[in-house]
Amino acid sequence: EKITKILATHRGSIHVASFSKYDPAKYSDVIPSINVIILKNPCKDFSAFQRFIDMSLQSVSKILNNFKKIKGITVTTISGKKVVYFIAEFDLNIVDGTTHHAKTITYSIPFDDAMIQVSMSEGTPPRNTKLFSDFINSFTIK
């Protein structure tokens, strides 16, 4: 109930945490990072949730430069709960005029009227697959 009320007063999303592997002042490439947000979940069943995430992914693909799905919407489980994830790559244009290629793994975890979204991003080639896997597999969903 508290999450639903908070989402209603925060335009439907709450930033929970961000983790960066390196200090941005000392690292010139895409910093491996993990972002956790809570969003409103408009879906009442899991198949509708899957479709919703897929439609969201299609919208994002039109915004990001050179967007490419590496792995489309995939169902898996975390802590015994059905979730979806996808893997994508895209280009990031930096203010200084450079472009970096990035990879993201995004998990969407539905619960009641909300969802947790965990995005784990880094430059390419990927070097943090184990770190990201360990992080997402450390979740306990109650």
Side-chain angles (χ1 to χ4, degrees), residues 75-84 107 137 141:
V75 177
T76 191
T77 59
I78 295 175
S79 183
K81 178 142 178 86
K82 271 174 53 170
V83 306
V84 297
Y107 283 82
N137 287 315
I141 302 170

Side-chain angles (χ1 to χ4, degrees), residues 19-25 27-34 121-123:
F19 306 97
S20 297
K21 189 170 182 181
Y22 305 116
D23 179 350
Y27 194 76
S28 62
D29 201 352
V30 177
I31 298 172
S33 59
I34 299 171
S121 304
E122 66 179 326

Side-chain angles (χ1 to χ4, degrees), residues 57-73:
L57 179 58
Q58 289 175 34
S59 295
V60 168
S61 73
K62 295 174 184 170
I63 297 168
L64 296 172
N65 294 328
N66 295 319
F67 182 89
K68 179 181 175 186
K69 272 194 280 188
I70 304 302
K71 184 169 193 152
I73 302 298

Side-chain angles (χ1 to χ4, degrees), residues 6-125:
I6 293 169
L7 286 171
T9 60
H10 287 81
R11 297 184 181 185
S13 70
I14 305 165
H15 178 260
V16 177
S18 290
F19 306 97
S20 297
K21 189 170 182 181
Y22 305 116
D23 179 350
K26 299 176 182 176
Y27 194 76
S28 62
D29 201 352
V30 177
I31 298 172
S33 59
I34 299 171
N35 289 292
V36 182
I37 59 174
I38 297 177
L39 302 158
K40 185 175 181 177
N41 178 7
C43 306
K44 298 299 175 200
D45 64 59
F46 192 79
S47 60
F49 179 74
Q50 259 184 281
R51 290 189 303 274
F52 173 73
I53 298 300
D54 192 42
M55 288 188 310
S56 297
L57 179 58
Q58 289 175 34
S59 295
V60 168
S61 73
K62 295 174 184 170
I63 297 168
L64 296 172
N65 294 328
N66 295 319
F67 182 89
K68 179 181 175 186
K69 272 194 280 188
I70 304 302
K71 184 169 193 152
I73 302 298
T74 304
V75 177
T76 191
T77 59
I78 295 175
S79 183
K81 178 142 178 86
K82 271 174 53 170
V83 306
V84 297
Y85 77 98
F86 65 86
I87 302 172
E89 292 184 359
F90 53 91
D91 288 339
L92 288 172
N93 297 322
I94 310 301
V95 175
D96 68 5
T98 61
T99 299
H100 296 275
H101 197 66
K103 175 184 176 183
T104 187
I105 304 167
T106 300
Y107 283 82
S108 299
I109 306 162
F111 63 97
D112 299 327
D113 294 334
M115 73 172 107
I116 297 172
Q117 195 160 64
V118 180
S119 296
M120 300 170 285
S121 304
E122 66 179 326
T124 56

